[in-house]
Amino acid sequence: MRVLHVIAIALKIDSPDFFEKQHKYINCGANLTTLRTLYYPPVQDPNAVLPKQIRCGEHSDYGSITLLWQDACGGLEVMNNKGEYQSVPPLNDAVLINIGDLMQRWTSDKLLSAKHRVLVPEDNYMMVRQSVVYFVHPDDECVVVPLDGSDLYKPITALQHVLDKFDETY
């Protein structure tokens, strides 16, 4: 929750605990925050790996923020503001923080939810990739509206946003 607090301070929000108050049911109720381990098995057949072979397709994260601990395997790429993918090499003892779609809505695009994907490492396709991801979501009934008062995004509950994204994806 400290990350949310720091974001509020950086954005000069009147109430530094604004985001924390929107996440009060993490781990205890109506909130979709999830801790996941992601396992990408090694590719056994070298002929099955194409250049830029995708392990996890392009997407953005739906919630407020995402905390990612990745192993040394690599493969994560993030789309920059020119629409090009850039490699994000893993750093020892580092946590990568992604801005999620709902934080982008709250901040009227001041903070952007970057599209990202995972590729099979071309130099070592036999390597296993293992990561731990903490997808932080606001409480289900939290209504997300732009904090600057603009009408850039229509009000939506956190739960409805996720359901809409599921409908788009599946």
Side-chain angles (χ1 to χ4, degrees):
M1 301 312 291
R2 285 183 178 168
V3 173
L4 294 172
H5 191 86
V6 169
I7 290 171
I9 291 170
L11 292 170
K12 298 183 172 119
I13 295 173
D14 291 337
S15 176
D17 61 350
F18 172 81
F19 293 124
E20 294 163 282
K21 288 179 180 177
Q22 311 311 312
H23 297 78
K24 62 183 173 281
Y25 295 122
I26 286 179
N27 301 324
C28 66
N31 181 297
L32 295 176
T33 295
T34 306
L35 178 67
R36 291 182 60 196
T37 61
L38 301 177
Y39 173 78
Y40 302 86
V43 178
Q44 302 296 328
D45 179 3
N47 297 317
V49 180
L50 301 172
K52 299 285 186 189
Q53 178 76 45
I54 295 176
R55 277 185 158 169
C56 180
E58 175 184 289
H59 65 282
S60 61
D61 296 336
Y62 304 156
S64 304
I65 59 172
T66 300
L67 307 178
L68 170 67
W69 292 263
Q70 54 180 336
D71 64 12
C73 179
L76 178 65
E77 293 188 338
V78 175
M79 186 181 287
N80 65 22
N81 58 4
K82 295 177 184 173
E84 302 163 338
Y85 274 101
Q86 292 185 295
S87 177
V88 181
L91 300 173
N92 289 336
D93 302 321
V95 178
L96 183 118
I97 301 173
N98 283 336
I99 297 299
D101 297 342
L102 290 175
M103 185 63 73
Q104 179 173 326
R105 284 175 167 262
W106 263 322
T107 66
S108 299
D109 295 351
K110 192 170 190 176
L111 300 178
L112 299 176
S113 177
K115 293 199 182 292
H116 50 283
R117 65 186 183 184
V118 177
L119 302 183
V120 174
E122 291 180 22
D123 57 338
N124 192 356
Y125 58 87
M126 288 291 294
M127 190 174 224
V128 169
R129 177 180 167 85
Q130 181 80 50
S131 56
V132 177
V133 188
Y134 192 51
F135 297 101
V136 179
H137 288 262
D139 298 335
D140 292 352
E141 297 307 314
C142 172
V143 178
V144 177
V145 297
L147 295 174
D148 64 2
S150 74
D151 61 356
L152 184 60
Y153 294 103
K154 294 179 182 176
I156 192 167
T157 65
L159 178 60
Q160 189 58 56
H161 174 72
V162 171
L163 294 175
D164 290 352
K165 292 301 244 178
F166 285 169
D167 285 344
E168 287 175 23
T169 305
Y170 306 106

